[in-house]
Amino acid sequence: MEKIKIRYLSDNIDRLCYIDGKSDWIDLRSAEEVEMKAGEFRLIHLGVAMKLPAGYEAHLVPRSSTYKNFGLIQTNHMGVIDGSYCGNDDEWCFPAYALRDTHIHVNDRICQFRIMKNQPAIEFEAVESLDGENRGGFGSTGIG
């Protein structure tokens, strides 16, 4: 089992836990009270810094209820936290854009993450032709 070293930067959030059997994503919580007006951007502090296992990165995304509950979208749609972001003050944040006025309380679950192995080393080989069957180009599978 891999281990992640974690430094909690807030005593006001629940400790992270893995909920076995439900999902392999782990919820992250707001470490601060947040007031946002529609059209505002903000980095919401998540109250944690981590040292990921060698050869891994974290993928950070909104929870399925984040937009419904808070009217927020994540500006980069999926955050990638690489293994080099591992210092004492490298706090994880959620880059949020408010589509309506909203309030987030300390300890509200606003996003989630999972760790993934880094992509293996690859090389590109230039060819004159590909031997796969054409699908008809971008957007060619129709509607419905």
Side-chain angles (χ1 to χ4, degrees), residues 1-134:
M1 177 180 295
E2 300 289 350
K3 289 190 179 184
I4 296 177
K5 293 182 179 180
I6 183 166
R7 179 172 181 233
Y8 289 96
L9 303 169
S10 171
D11 293 328
N12 299 319
I13 58 171
D14 290 351
R15 298 302 192 229
L16 300 188
C17 65
Y18 177 76
I19 304 172
D20 194 27
K22 289 197 173 189
S23 174
D24 59 355
W25 291 84
I26 299 165
D27 289 337
L28 292 163
R29 299 166 182 272
S30 176
E32 59 185 334
E33 291 288 320
V34 175
E35 287 281 345
M36 292 177 72
K37 299 288 185 196
E40 287 184 339
F41 168 80
R42 180 172 179 162
L43 290 174
I44 300 174
H45 294 269
L46 300 172
V48 294
M50 297 184 214
K51 181 171 177 49
L52 300 175
Y56 285 85
E57 64 190 21
H59 293 179
L60 180 88
V61 298
R63 297 181 74 242
S64 61
S65 60
T66 299
Y67 178 75
K68 177 181 67 109
N69 292 341
F70 304 109
L72 298 177
I73 59 172
Q74 184 173 344
T75 58
N76 56 353
H77 303 286
M78 184 186 86
V80 177
I81 301 169
D82 66 47
S84 69
Y85 193 69
C86 60
N88 272 330
D89 297 319
D90 289 338
E91 182 173 6
W92 290 21
C93 292
F94 180 72
Y97 182 77
L99 295 173
R100 66 174 187 256
D101 293 357
T102 192
H103 181 87
I104 299 164
H105 297 285
V106 170
N107 210 42
D108 280 346
R109 296 179 298 160
I110 59 172
C111 58
Q112 58 191 338
F113 81 99
R114 71 186 316 183
I115 64 168
M116 303 290 293
K117 284 192 175 193
N118 294 132
Q119 178 172 288
I122 59 172
E123 72 178 64
F124 294 97
E125 176 187 355
V127 297
E128 294 297 320
S129 179
L130 300 174
D131 58 7
E133 183 179 334
N134 280 331

Side-chain angles (χ1 to χ4, degrees), residues 134-143:
N134 280 331
R135 289 185 40 193
F138 186 79
S140 63
T141 58
I143 298 173

